[in-house]
Amino acid sequence: MMIDLSDYESGAKYDGDYDADLKALQDRMAELQSLHILHGARTLIIVEGWDAAGKGGAIKRLTATLDPRYYQVFPISAPTREEKDKHFLWRFWNKLPGKCEINIWDRSHYGRVLVERVEGFCSEAEWRRGYDEINEFESRQGEIGTKIIKLFLHVTQETQDKVLTERLEDPAKRWKVTAEDFRNRDKRAEYLDAMKDMFKRTDTHWAPWTVIDGNNQKASRIAVLAHVVKELENSVPQDFPEADDAILKLAKDALGYKADS
């Protein structure tokens, strides 16, 4: 089904107890991470979206209860000079999750068909070729058992402008606003065209896109966590292994512990 970003612009308020529901989802994320570790799963979460769409806030809440030894967040910025000399996917290989790991990319290799396309940082031939290269790259990860969850946070121009203004008025957040935000803002129509092509060409059955309406912050954060929880529940075995007999014996000898029969 074709993804139309205009379907994700209602900005409806969250209809529920936000604090309680957020805590429940975060607690479930912690439990799912335990299962993820125990079963040696691999998960890559890709978070894309407009500037000021709430990607960082969603990631912060997604990881709030996770064991930091088994997840990493990679903020993807402009490639370095060395990275520019290599194939555009080269810099992403060492950011892929290993066994037991959940890795989160704040922006991603989709820069090739978004910002690099719109801003002219690569040739037309390069970004057109990028769709197949991205699909192949993601397909290979799936073949070794990596679960890929792709999220796109969408906001209207009105919402984006409101957030940028609020950040400028807050000394603690003013640093987040850059000239790039305004450069990208001026080319919104071109970015919408690029996003339409991106969804059409890379919304695959092995790595589908999920669009999140980011126009209400609380509803957006709940939607992100709820989707990730659902995907992990579907991809990670939900059974905890039995206690190790050797460990139980040590516990009995040291603690007098007796396992329930």
Side-chain angles (χ1 to χ4, degrees), residues 3-4 18 43 60 101 118 131 148 153 157 207 213 228 243 256:
I3 292 174
D4 186 344
Y18 173 75
T43 299
K60 181 178 179 180
E101 294 177 344
V118 174
Y131 300 118
I148 299 178
L153 273 63
Q157 184 71 79
D213 182 346
V228 172

Side-chain angles (χ1 to χ4, degrees), residues 28 31-32 226 228-238:
R28 180 59 173 148
E31 185 177 50
L32 285 166
V228 172
V229 163
K230 181 186 73 173
E231 291 297 304
L232 290 178
E233 287 176 340
N234 290 335
S235 64
V236 180
Q238 295 298 294

Side-chain angles (χ1 to χ4, degrees), residues 1 37 41 51 59 62 65 70-71 102 145 161 166 184 187 223:
M1 184 175 68
I37 295 165
D51 296 328
I59 292 170
L62 180 64
T65 57
Y70 295 96
Y71 85 87
I102 298 173
D161 289 352
E166 290 172 349
N184 295 346
K187 295 183 178 180

Side-chain angles (χ1 to χ4, degrees), residues 217-253:
Q217 191 179 76
K218 290 183 177 180
S220 173
R221 290 170 177 172
I222 293 291
V224 167
L225 267 76
H227 180 71
V228 172
V229 163
K230 181 186 73 173
E231 291 297 304
L232 290 178
E233 287 176 340
N234 290 335
S235 64
V236 180
Q238 295 298 294
D239 56 302
F240 284 99
E242 296 295 327
D244 185 282
D245 288 339
I247 298 298
L248 290 177
K249 185 178 185 306
L250 289 172
K252 180 181 180 181
D253 294 342

Side-chain angles (χ1 to χ4, degrees):
M1 184 175 68
M2 180 66 69
I3 292 174
D4 186 344
L5 290 177
S6 66
D7 293 335
Y8 302 90
E9 296 181 346
S10 73
K13 292 183 179 179
Y14 182 63
D15 184 19
D17 186 331
Y18 173 75
D19 291 333
D21 293 346
L22 178 64
K23 183 180 185 303
L25 285 166
Q26 290 174 330
D27 289 346
R28 180 59 173 148
M29 276 296 301
E31 185 177 50
L32 285 166
Q33 188 194 30
S34 294
L35 289 164
H36 196 275
I37 295 165
L38 289 166
H39 290 285
R42 309 166 188 256
T43 299
L44 172 62
I45 303 174
I46 295 168
V47 185
E48 277 287 353
W50 295 97
D51 296 328
K55 297 183 294 297
I59 292 170
K60 181 178 179 180
R61 283 150 187 85
L62 180 64
T63 60
T65 57
L66 299 186
D67 185 332
R69 295 173 296 175
Y70 295 96
Y71 85 87
Q72 282 186 278
V73 177
F74 293 93
I76 307 300
S77 55
T80 64
R81 181 174 179 178
E82 179 188 14
E83 290 167 343
K84 288 179 181 179
D85 287 339
K86 307 288 197 306
H87 187 278
F88 82 97
L89 290 172
W90 178 80
R91 66 184 178 128
F92 294 97
W93 280 97
N94 66 349
K95 298 176 178 63
L96 291 167
K99 189 176 180 182
C100 305
E101 294 177 344
I102 298 173
N103 283 7
I104 303 170
W105 295 357
D106 182 353
R107 296 198 182 279
S108 67
H109 50 316
Y110 282 95
R112 170 62 68 163
V113 296
L114 291 177
V115 65
E116 293 182 33
R117 165 183 168 170
V118 174
E119 302 298 337
F121 296 151
C122 65
S123 68
E124 181 175 346
E126 288 174 323
W127 65 255
R128 287 190 180 278
R129 188 170 65 239
Y131 300 118
D132 288 338
E133 293 173 318
I134 286 170
N135 288 338
E136 184 74 11
F137 174 74
E138 293 176 355
S139 177
R140 296 291 79 80
Q141 309 321 309
E143 289 175 358
I144 64 168
T146 302
K147 171 69 175 179
I148 299 178
I149 303 171
K150 299 192 306 196
L151 299 164
F152 187 93
L153 273 63
H154 177 60
V155 292
T156 62
Q157 184 71 79
E158 181 182 9
T159 298
Q160 186 182 48
D161 289 352
K162 179 176 180 289
V163 174
L164 289 173
T165 300
E166 290 172 349
R167 287 180 177 178
L168 286 169
E169 293 175 347
D170 185 344
K173 295 182 178 180
R174 196 172 293 152
W175 62 272
K176 294 183 177 183
V177 182
T178 67
E180 184 177 326
D181 292 327
F182 296 100
R183 184 190 68 200
N184 295 346
R185 181 187 181 280
D186 289 341
K187 295 183 178 180
R188 186 177 180 90
E190 294 173 63
Y191 274 100
L192 283 168
D193 287 341
M195 290 167 186
K196 181 178 179 180
D197 288 344
M198 178 188 75
F199 292 132
K200 181 179 179 181
R201 298 291 301 276
T202 64
D203 185 34
T204 60
H205 67 84
W206 59 87
W209 280 104
T210 295
V211 179
I212 303 293
D213 182 346
N215 292 285
N216 180 276
Q217 191 179 76
K218 290 183 177 180
S220 173
R221 290 170 177 172
I222 293 291
V224 167
L225 267 76
H227 180 71
V228 172
V229 163
K230 181 186 73 173
E231 291 297 304
L232 290 178
E233 287 176 340
N234 290 335
S235 64
V236 180
Q238 295 298 294
D239 56 302
F240 284 99
E242 296 295 327
D244 185 282
D245 288 339
I247 298 298
L248 290 177
K249 185 178 185 306
L250 289 172
K252 180 181 180 181
D253 294 342
L255 309 172
Y257 172 79
K258 293 182 180 180
D260 294 334
S261 56

